[in-house]
Amino acid sequence: MVEVSKLAREGVLQPKEALWATGRKKDQLTIGIPKENSYQENRVPLTPLSVGLLVENGHQVLMESGAGEASNFLDHHYSEQGAQIVYNKQEVYQCDLVIKIASPTLQEVDLMRSRQVLFSSQQPSLMNREVLSALMRKQVTALSFEYLEDEGGHLSVVRAMSEIVGATSVLIAAEYLSNVFDGKGLMLGGVTGVPPTEMVIIGAGTVGEFAARTAIALGAQVKVFDSSVYRLRRLQNNVGNRVFTSVIQPIVLNKAVRTCDVVIGAVRAKNGRTPCLISEDTVSKMKPNSVLIDVSIDQGGCFETSRVTNHEKPVFRKYDVIHYCVPNIASRVARTATYALTNIFTPILLEIGECGGMNNMIWANQGIRSAIYLYHGNLTNKDMADYFNIPCKDLNLIVMANL
């Protein structure tokens, strides 16, 4: 016992630091984040802290220089968390998995390598057939954010962006009602003794719900129209206030639109174009300097007078009504949108590593499986197959055959 104590005092039995060889793990991912080329796309899929979490879990993140600047995340914010900043876009597209916001261009697909994994936005109606064919030739496995489902079966990215768009659209309306933008000079809401601002929201989905919630909190008088009584009842229960609701009856809807101060079009179509619900004649009879915000513009718009605008020139006037028809409203608050996206993407990327790769993840996770539209170059999304008239293959059968 004396000998042991003596050795301990002399430091012979003290633990020593040693370097441990850490070769590439089987489930280690190299994740590439390119800078967005899409016009006025300001979001980035991962925040610096999320990148740090991925690096801590053994993954390697390559980021194109300037990819986060539009969201006010600078290169050194990412490099301090362990990301490798690269200045050549081609290096990013050689990673195991590429994650970006906008759908890839043909030039970006050319930079990709065979059998790569791609995470991006991809709506069937906005997809280019040449891009799809190029991805298929390179046998890419591609996931679309629009189809990504959470544990409850909800479209997680669509819902997150809809919440942001709903709340932001009301704040935009408040700006254009003010004198600063040559509006009516109204405060959205009201004060004691002054009648509140009247707002009509067409659509009782997530966008409509969060628009109503924000407008009511500001004190506005809100009317919500939708074709579904179920959605109207759900909105009323979720908002927690007695709000005017009505199914879409043309006479009632047109009367409400003509007399309101703000109208927000938040109707979504499952497939194809959004139905046009408000005619040019109705818009021409609206009060001067009223504000019209068409959130549905990326699907064609629900107002006959709508036309696509952008963040640099977001509005135009027709019949003395201010029209705001920017498709990508979430990019207006890019940093908030990035935080919302990274909360969804980071757990998925970590789980892919834990599962041992994308193939295992697809088999284990139904939400991921529903978002896959290309698997090793095989088209597996029925909406895209119908849109381009291309044969669709069953993803479950393909994955099982490859196990």
Side-chain angles (χ1 to χ4, degrees):
M1 183 68 101
V2 176
E3 288 293 325
V4 173
S5 300
K6 184 179 178 182
L7 291 172
R9 283 196 301 272
E10 294 174 356
V12 177
L13 298 182
Q14 295 298 321
K16 304 289 185 182
E17 292 183 358
L19 295 176
W20 184 265
T22 57
R24 179 182 170 88
K25 297 180 182 178
K26 182 181 179 182
D27 59 354
Q28 181 187 8
L29 301 173
T30 56
I31 302 166
I33 305 175
K35 184 176 181 179
E36 296 293 339
N37 292 329
S38 181
Y39 181 60
Q40 293 189 337
E41 180 53 76
N42 300 323
R43 296 168 294 178
V44 62
L46 298 175
T47 62
L49 290 179
S50 294
V51 167
L53 182 59
L54 291 166
V55 172
E56 285 179 9
N57 280 268
H59 305 301
Q60 183 182 5
V61 179
L62 273 70
M63 191 154 192
E64 186 179 356
S65 178
E69 283 184 2
S71 296
N72 287 310
F73 294 116
L74 304 181
D75 287 351
H76 71 86
H77 295 147
Y78 287 99
S79 61
E80 288 167 1
Q81 296 297 326
Q84 181 181 343
I85 305 299
V86 298
Y87 297 88
N88 184 351
K89 190 181 288 286
Q90 189 164 6
E91 289 185 58
V92 175
Y93 281 97
Q94 294 306 303
C95 293
D96 299 329
L97 186 150
V98 173
I99 181 168
K100 64 193 303 293
I101 301 297
S103 56
T105 63
L106 195 59
Q107 292 75 20
E108 288 173 323
V109 176
D110 289 340
L111 296 175
M112 296 176 68
R113 59 180 176 80
S114 179
R115 288 188 171 262
Q116 202 164 26
V117 177
L118 171 68
F119 278 34
S120 73
S121 170
Q122 191 57 78
Q123 297 182 41
S125 60
L126 301 178
M127 191 169 199
N128 185 297
R129 190 186 184 100
E130 292 182 2
V131 172
L132 180 61
S133 299
L135 289 170
M136 293 175 73
R137 285 195 299 271
K138 291 208 170 184
Q139 299 183 329
V140 169
T141 296
L143 176 149
S144 172
F145 297 158
E146 284 81 8
Y147 293 92
L148 190 63
E149 296 180 0
D150 59 18
E151 296 88 341
H154 302 107
L155 299 174
S156 52
V157 172
V158 172
R159 181 172 179 82
M161 293 302 102
S162 296
E163 291 176 3
I164 291 171
V165 169
T168 304
S169 63
V170 174
L171 302 180
I172 292 169
E175 291 178 10
Y176 286 98
L177 279 175
S178 70
N179 290 96
V180 177
F181 292 96
D182 297 323
K184 285 186 176 183
L186 291 176
M187 181 183 76
L188 184 63
V191 293
T192 305
V194 179
T197 309
E198 295 184 22
M199 178 179 293
V200 169
I201 299 171
I202 307 173
T206 304
V207 174
E209 178 187 327
F210 276 77
R213 191 190 300 272
T214 306
I216 290 169
L218 291 171
Q221 181 180 325
V222 178
K223 296 180 180 180
V224 182
F225 292 83
D226 197 281
S227 58
S228 167
V229 175
Y230 167 78
R231 286 195 294 268
L232 291 170
R233 186 179 292 116
R234 183 186 61 189
L235 178 143
Q236 201 163 63
N237 291 337
N238 290 348
V239 168
N241 286 280
R242 299 302 298 176
V243 57
F244 177 99
T245 57
S246 173
V247 293
I248 295 177
Q249 298 283 358
I251 294 176
V252 179
L253 175 59
N254 289 333
K255 181 180 178 181
V257 168
R258 288 195 299 267
T259 58
C260 73
D261 302 300
V262 177
V263 55
I264 296 176
V267 179
R268 301 296 294 177
K270 288 185 178 180
N271 294 294
R273 193 194 189 285
T274 300
C276 184
L277 298 174
I278 304 299
S279 67
E280 185 170 349
D281 179 63
T282 301
V283 173
S284 68
K285 295 175 182 176
M286 290 177 68
K287 293 190 290 187
N289 293 314
S290 297
V291 178
L292 184 154
I293 298 178
D294 198 342
V295 178
S296 308
I297 191 65
D298 60 337
Q299 289 188 320
C302 56
F303 302 96
E304 192 175 1
T305 52
S306 292
R307 68 170 188 263
V308 177
T309 59
N310 55 61
H311 291 295
E312 291 179 0
K313 295 182 178 178
V315 298
F316 65 92
R317 284 178 178 265
K318 190 164 187 178
Y319 302 112
D320 210 15
V321 174
I322 300 170
H323 291 64
Y324 184 99
C325 306
V326 179
N328 189 3
I329 292 178
S331 275
R332 184 185 174 98
V333 286
R335 193 177 177 95
T336 297
T338 295
Y339 280 120
L341 290 171
T342 199
N343 290 340
I344 299 169
F345 298 150
T346 306
I348 292 173
L349 295 172
L350 290 172
E351 192 175 347
I352 292 173
E354 293 295 325
C355 287
M358 191 63 182
N359 287 348
N360 293 338
M361 180 69 168
I362 293 171
W363 181 251
N365 191 309
Q366 173 60 40
I368 293 292
R369 197 154 63 247
S370 65
I372 298 293
Y373 65 91
L374 284 176
Y375 182 79
H376 292 171
N378 297 293
L379 185 61
T380 60
N381 182 283
K382 191 176 185 304
D383 292 337
M384 292 187 187
D386 292 342
Y387 186 81
F388 291 108
N389 196 24
I390 298 174
C392 178
K393 297 188 178 180
D394 191 315
L395 178 60
N396 296 320
L397 295 178
I398 297 174
V399 174
M400 187 173 287
N402 282 273
L403 288 176

